[in-house]
Amino acid sequence: ILNVEQSPQSLHVQEGDSTNFTCSFPSSNFYALHWYRWETAKSPEALFVMTLNGDEKKKGRISATLNTKEGYSYLYIKGSQPEDSATYLCASNRDDKIIFGKGTRLHILP
Amino acid sequence: DAGVIQSPRHEVTEMGQEVTLRCKPISGHDYLFWYRQTMMRGLELLIYFNNNVPIDDSGMPEDRFSAKMPNASFSTLKIQPSEPRDSAVYFCASSLAFGTGGLVFDQPQHFGDGTRLSIL
């Protein structure tokens, strides 16, 4: 993998359900992985920055894991709420570059 | 604390005109980044500065684009002459110094609200 890939591109989840999505990135020369939450008409807001293989971070109902050896990170949302509707971006820092994925657009259905 | 401040919020101008976008980073942040966001390519890093010095401008699309950071509290991104394909949302972001002093972007970035640029 040479680019940062996020899947799925779009996701519809019933309110109250839990969900997760994936960020895949080049595993060589890895330094850091960022997750951002981007609401419509606003700017991206940092959720997590992870650097070590096996890192797990949590903020309220949202958590993330990191596997640097295989080049992926998962973002989990437990008990989805309407305010979780947003685009979730990941970004990989490799060498002196930071490259963003195109995001997973999450829609929470009432 | 005030966040990253960008101006203008919206800019509409005719092809061939010079466009200047402005950014004030969060006070005390050592790094400043300029990004361009389009539907086709997503969020792309154009250039970033460390302590007012440009570090990597490999993302700047062509010579029509230039960026400066004359002091720690102000940066500009200039497009001259502008073209319709430059239409996009341009974001500025800032962050604290990286943990290991160099290549590791291990601090979160704080984004401004963006400038929506339309070139007619």
Side-chain angles (χ1 to χ4, degrees):
Chain A
I1 297 174
L2 297 179
N3 293 321
V4 177
E5 305 283 349
Q6 290 190 247
S7 63
Q9 279 189 326
S10 180
L11 189 57
H12 291 77
V13 174
Q14 202 68 42
E15 182 178 348
D17 288 351
S18 297
T19 187
N20 65 85
F21 28 92
T22 307
C23 173
S24 301
F25 53 88
S27 56
S28 60
N29 302 327
F30 169 86
Y31 289 106
L33 193 284
H34 295 223
W35 280 101
Y36 292 85
R37 182 170 172 276
W38 195 355
E39 291 183 70
T40 304
K42 294 188 178 180
S43 54
E45 178 187 342
L47 287 172
F48 308 113
V49 180
M50 296 182 288
T51 58
L52 298 176
N53 185 45
D55 258 356
E56 292 189 29
K57 296 223 171 172
K58 187 175 180 182
K59 183 184 281 191
R61 295 179 292 100
I62 303 176
S63 60
T65 61
L66 179 66
N67 183 322
T68 61
K69 295 187 187 306
E70 297 181 43
Y72 64 84
S73 174
Y74 292 135
L75 190 81
Y76 299 90
I77 301 178
K78 185 177 178 182
S80 304
Q81 298 297 308
E83 59 265 29
D84 297 330
S85 294
T87 296
Y88 291 83
L89 291 175
C90 71
S92 168
N93 167 216
R94 182 171 180 243
D95 296 325
D96 61 349
K97 306 293 184 190
I98 186 159
I99 299 173
F100 279 80
K102 293 195 175 172
T104 291
R105 187 162 182 81
L106 178 64
H107 305 265
I108 305 302
L109 306 173
Chain B
D1 284 340
V4 175
I5 299 172
Q6 291 187 245
S7 65
R9 290 295 305 275
H10 304 274
E11 175 90 11
V12 181
T13 192
E14 292 187 347
M15 182 174 69
Q17 298 297 306
E18 179 179 286
V19 173
T20 300
L21 311 181
R22 296 172 176 80
C23 176
K24 177 177 166 55
I26 292 173
S27 177
H29 280 192
D30 303 280
Y31 285 83
L32 183 141
F33 306 82
W34 281 103
Y35 291 92
R36 178 172 67 175
Q37 195 251 341
T38 61
M39 288 292 292
M40 287 294 292
R41 299 171 72 93
L43 198 62
E44 297 176 281
L45 178 64
L46 300 177
I47 184 171
Y48 75 92
F49 296 82
N50 176 20
N51 292 325
N52 315 338
V53 176
I55 302 300
D56 183 1
D57 66 354
S58 59
M60 296 284 261
E62 48 196 275
D63 291 346
R64 298 184 297 106
F65 285 69
S66 62
K68 293 183 180 179
M69 192 165 184
N71 56 63
S73 58
F74 183 66
S75 177
T76 59
L77 177 68
K78 191 171 289 188
I79 308 173
Q80 167 63 21
S82 58
E83 297 182 4
R85 61 194 168 117
D86 302 329
S87 298
V89 181
Y90 291 81
F91 286 98
C92 175
S94 69
S95 76
L96 290 168
F98 301 159
T100 58
L103 298 179
V104 180
F105 292 61
D106 65 356
Q107 298 296 316
Q109 296 184 18
H110 300 261
F111 285 78
D113 289 336
T115 294
R116 184 174 293 276
L117 177 64
S118 298
I119 309 296
L120 307 176

